C-alpha cells in the first residue's frame, strides 16, 4: 500500500498528517507557512487530521492571514493516504516535546510518507532521528523553530533534484527496515551497558528455561499454548531486561529474578483467574467473544500474553518503548499479535468508552498525576466496565519497590538517604523517581479519593466469612498488615465531571493522603 511509484507531484503542495494535538506541533507549521508566504513563495499547505486543537489552529490560521494557503481537512481513510503522500512535494512533521514530557515516538505517518518517496522535514525529537538521516533520507530541524522549519521546506521546494534524491533514499531506507535490523543498535547498546559478567549469568539461566521441565513447559501448562523459540527474538528480550537485572544484582535470588523477567507470562498466569474474576469478565458470554482489555503499564507483557491466551482482545500500553517491544515479542512466542504502544497514563491515546476492562498494576505510584490517570481510566471504560489496580500502602512494613523494612515509617528525606546507603536506588535504569516522588496511600484515603472522582471501590482481596472479613477491614482501616492492596474501581453513574477548581482541591487532598 505504501510504496514509491511514479506520479504527478504538485510542486507547491506541503502536506502534514496527524491528530490535531499539541505534541504534533502544527502551530509551528502554520507559522512556517506565514514565513514562506512573506518570502513570496507560492505555497499550498494541507493538514489532514482531527482533534481538540482544530479550533485553535483555525484561529491561528486567520490571525496569520493564511485562509487561502492552509487547508485543515478532516481525517481520511487510511487507504486514501498514499494518494496524498504521492501528490505532496514535501511532508512536514513538526513534532515537539510538551512540558509534561508527552511526545511522539516514531509517527507512523512519517514512515508512510517516506515509503511513498515523499521528501520529509521533521523535528529532531524522540526517536525520529533513528529513521530520518539528516540530509540523506530527510531534513531535520530543531523543535519549536518555525524559521528553521520554513528554511528546510523552502530548500526542498527550491531544489527539485535534492527533493527527488531524498525521496528515493527515504523509500529505500523504509523498504529495508525490519524489526531485527531496526532493533540491532538497541540490542548492542544494552549489551555494552550490561557487560560480559551479566551476560555470563543470563545465558545459562535462559538455556535452562528451554530444557525439559523448564519454564517453557510450565508456560504450555499454565497458558494452554506451547511457546516456540525464536533465537533472535529471545535475544532481544534477554537484552531488554538486562539493565533491570543489573540494577538488582544485590538480590540473593538473582537467578530466580532472571527467570521471572524472561518468563513473566508464566508467573503472571497464576494471578489471571483472580484478576479476571475481580473484573467480572469471565462469564461465558463475554469469554466466548473476548473482552477488550487495556493492559495499562504492561511492563514486560506477561499479563497481556495471559489475557490473549484466554481469548481476550488486549492492547498493551507502557511508557517505555523497550517494554512495548518485549511485549510484542513475548506475544509472538505463542503466535499472538499484541498491539503495544507508548504513552503516559495521564493522556491515553484512545477514544472514550473503548475498553471493557483496564488492568493497571504497579502504575498508580509512578505517574506524575494520579487524579489525571484515574480520570483517563474512567473515560476509556465502557458503561459497566471495571479497572483492577494496585495501591501501595503508605505504612507498608516492607517496601515493595526497595525491599527494605521500615523505610515508610521514616521521613522521606531520611528514607531516601538510607536507600542510597543500602545501594537500592533505581534511578540508574527505571523511572528516575525517588521514594518521596512516588504516590503511596492509606487504604481509606485512596477509597475516599476514588469515590470523589466518581468511582465505586471494591476491595478485591476481602475474604469471605464474618470474622475474616471484619479482621481484614480493620487491617485496611489501620493501614497495617499489608504492603499492596488490590482494588477494583467502577465508574459510578450520574456523577459529575471534575471542574478545574475541584480538580485542584482533590490534588491537594491526594497529596495530603500520601
Amino acid at each position: 500500500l505504501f510504496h514509491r511509484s511514479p506520479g504527478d507531484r504538485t510542486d507547491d503542495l506541503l502536506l502534514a498528517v496527524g491528530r490535531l494535538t499539541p505534541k504534533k506541533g502544527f502551530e509551528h507549521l502554520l507559522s512556517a507557512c506565514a514565513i514562506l508566504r512573506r518570502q513570496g513563495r507560492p505555497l499550498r499547505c494541507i493538514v489532514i487530521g482531527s482533534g481538540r486543537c482544530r479550533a485553535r489552529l483555525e484561529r491561528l490560521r486567520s490571525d496569520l492571514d493564511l485562509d487561502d494557503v492552509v487547508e485543515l481537512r478532516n481525517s481520511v481513510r487510511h487507504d486514501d493516504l498514499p494518494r496524498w503522500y504521492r501528490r505532496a512535494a514535501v511532508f512536514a512533521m513538526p513534532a515537539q516535546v510538551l512540558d509534561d514530557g508527552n511526545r511522539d515516538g516514531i509517527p507512523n505517518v512519517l514512515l508512510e510518507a517516506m515509503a511513498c518517496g515523499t521528501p520529509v522535514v521533521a523535528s529532531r525529537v524522540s526517536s525520529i532521528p533513528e529513521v530520518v538521516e539528516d540530509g540523506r533520507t530527510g531534513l531535520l530541524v530543531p523543535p519549536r523553530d518555525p524559521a528553521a522549519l520554513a528554511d528546510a521546506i523552502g530548500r526542498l521546494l527550491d531544489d527539485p533534484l535534492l527533493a527527488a534524491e531524498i525521496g528515493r533514499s527515504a523509500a529505500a531506507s523504509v523498504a529495508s527496515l525490519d524489526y531485527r535490523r531496526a532493533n540491532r543498535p538497541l540490542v548492542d547498546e544494552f549489551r555494552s551497558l550490561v557487560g560480559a559478567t551479566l551476560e555470563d549469568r543470563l545465558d545459562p539461566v535462559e538455556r535452562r528455561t528451554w530444557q525439559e521441565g523448564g519454564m517453557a513447559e510450565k508456560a504450555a501448562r499454565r497458558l494452554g499454548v506451547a511457546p516456540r523459540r525464536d533465537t533472535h527474538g529471545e535475544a532481544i528480550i534477554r537484552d531488554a531486561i538486562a539493565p533491570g537485572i543489573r540494577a538488582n544484582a544485590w538480590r540473593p535470588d538473582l537467578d530466580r529474578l532472571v527467570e521471572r523477567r524472561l518468563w513473566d507470562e508464566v508467573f503472571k498466569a497464576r494471578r489471571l483467574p483472580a484478576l479476571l474474576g475481580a473484573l467480572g469478565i469471565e462469564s461465558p458470554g463475554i469469554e466466548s467473544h473476548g473482552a477488550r482489555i487495556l493492559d495499562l503499564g504492561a511492563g514486560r507483557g506477561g499479563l497481556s500474553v495471559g489475557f490473549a491466551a484466554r481469548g481476550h482482545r488486549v492492547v498493551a500500553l507502557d511508557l517505555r518503548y523497550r517494554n512495548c517491544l518485549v511485549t510484542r515479542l513475548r506475544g509472538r512466542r505463542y503466535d499472538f499479535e499484541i498491539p503495544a504502544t507508548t504513552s503516559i497514563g495521564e493522556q491515553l491515546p484512545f477514544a472514550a468508552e473503548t475498553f471493557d476492562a483496564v488492568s493497571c498494576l504497579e502504575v498508580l505510584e509512578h505517574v506524575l498525576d494520579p487524579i489525571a490517570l484515574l480520570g483517563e481510566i474512567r473515560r476509556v471504560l465502557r458503561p459497566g466496565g471495571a479497572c483492577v489496580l494496585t495501591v501501595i500502602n503508605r505504612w507498608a512494613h516492607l517496601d515493595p519497590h526497595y525491599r527494605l523494612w521500615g523505610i515508610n515509617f521514616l521521613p522521606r528525606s531520611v528514607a531516601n538517604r538510607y536507600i542510597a546507603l543500602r545501594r537500592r536506588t533505581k534511578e540508574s535504569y527505571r523511572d528516575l523517581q525517588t521514594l518521596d516522588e512516588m504516590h503511596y496511600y492509606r487504604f481509606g484515603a485512596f477509597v475516599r479519593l476514588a469515590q470523589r472522582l466518581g468511582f465505586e471501590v471494591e476491595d478485591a482481596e476481602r475474604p469471605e466469612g464474618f470474622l475474616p472479613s471484619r479482621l481484614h477491614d480493620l487491617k485496611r482501616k489501620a493501614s497495617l498488615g499489608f504492603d499492596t492492596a488490590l482494588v477494583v474501581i467502577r465508574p459510578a453513574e450520574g456523577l459529575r465531571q471534575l471542574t478545574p477548581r475541584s480538580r485542584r482541591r482533590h490534588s491537594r487532598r491526594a497529596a495530603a493522603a500520601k
Side-chain angles (χ1 to χ4, degrees), residues 423-453:
R423 297 183 180 180
R424 299 287 178 90
T425 176
K426 299 182 178 183
E427 293 180 356
S428 59
Y429 85 100
R430 188 168 186 176
D431 47 32
L432 299 179
Q433 286 179 309
T434 56
L435 182 63
D436 60 326
E437 293 172 324
M438 289 193 278
H439 304 279
Y440 293 9
Y441 292 92
R442 299 187 301 276
F443 185 79
F446 174 79
V447 170
R448 290 190 293 272
L449 173 65
Q451 289 173 342
R452 287 197 297 267
L453 296 177

Side-chain angles (χ1 to χ4, degrees), residues 253-423:
D253 59 341
L254 187 62
D255 286 356
R256 184 66 169 169
L257 179 65
V258 172
E259 284 190 350
R260 291 184 67 94
R261 298 289 172 88
L262 288 173
W263 293 90
D264 190 51
E265 66 272 28
V266 177
F267 293 90
K268 295 291 178 60
R270 290 180 294 190
R271 303 187 69 180
L272 277 175
L275 292 177
L276 292 170
L279 289 169
I281 58 175
E282 282 289 59
S283 63
I286 294 181
E287 189 178 5
S288 60
H289 298 91
R292 189 163 178 81
I293 302 176
L294 171 62
D295 189 4
L296 176 55
R300 290 169 291 277
L303 271 182
S304 295
V305 171
F307 290 140
R310 296 175 78 97
H312 300 295
R313 296 166 294 162
V314 60
V315 177
L317 183 141
D318 198 89
L319 178 64
R320 297 166 188 81
Y321 170 73
R322 71 166 177 261
N323 285 347
C324 294
L325 172 64
V326 168
T327 298
R328 289 194 290 266
L329 292 174
R330 197 181 295 281
R332 288 171 188 165
R333 276 180 178 168
Y334 308 90
D335 293 324
F336 300 142
E337 288 297 330
I338 298 177
T341 185
T342 58
S343 183
I344 59 174
E346 297 94 325
Q347 293 181 352
L348 298 178
F350 306 109
E353 300 183 0
T354 301
F355 298 98
D356 299 303
V358 176
S359 168
C360 184
L361 306 184
E362 300 179 17
V363 174
L364 182 69
E365 62 268 25
H366 291 298
V367 297
L368 296 177
D369 188 347
I371 291 177
L373 170 70
L374 295 174
E376 282 292 271
I377 289 173
R378 184 180 181 190
R379 182 181 66 82
V380 301
L381 276 175
R382 290 172 178 168
C387 169
V388 60
L389 76 162
T390 49
V391 181
I392 295 183
N393 181 13
R394 174 62 180 84
W395 303 117
H397 292 177
L398 177 64
D399 187 86
H401 284 285
Y402 297 100
R403 311 301 297 176
L404 291 172
W405 290 93
I407 61 173
N408 288 303
F409 294 91
L410 300 173
R412 283 311 198 215
S413 59
V414 176
N416 284 331
R417 288 196 291 271
Y418 181 63
I419 291 167
L421 181 65
R422 293 291 302 273
R423 297 183 180 180

Side-chain angles (χ1 to χ4, degrees), residues 16-31 47-49 57 60 72 92-96:
V17 179
R19 290 182 295 119
L20 304 185
T21 57
K23 67 180 178 181
K24 300 296 183 182
F26 288 137
E27 67 272 19
H28 306 302
L29 178 61
L30 267 61
S31 298
V47 180
I48 297 177
L57 291 174
L60 179 61
L72 299 176
M93 174 52 63
Q96 60 182 340

Side-chain angles (χ1 to χ4, degrees), residues 120-198:
V120 302
V121 176
S123 300
R124 189 181 281 105
V125 298
S126 301
S127 300
I128 290 177
E130 294 180 18
V131 295
V132 179
E133 183 180 343
D134 191 23
R136 193 180 77 84
T137 61
L139 299 182
L140 295 176
V141 298
R144 304 186 182 189
D145 191 339
L149 183 61
D151 182 66
I153 294 170
R155 182 180 168 192
L156 292 175
L157 293 177
D158 291 344
D159 192 342
L161 293 179
L162 173 64
E165 178 60 29
I166 286 179
R168 282 193 295 269
S169 298
S173 174
V174 173
S176 67
L177 284 177
D178 62 40
Y179 78 91
R180 294 177 178 86
R181 175 177 293 183
N183 292 322
R184 194 69 250 165
L186 183 64
V187 171
D188 293 340
E189 181 179 353
F190 283 147
R191 283 183 171 152
S192 67
L193 291 172
V194 173
T197 301
L198 186 56

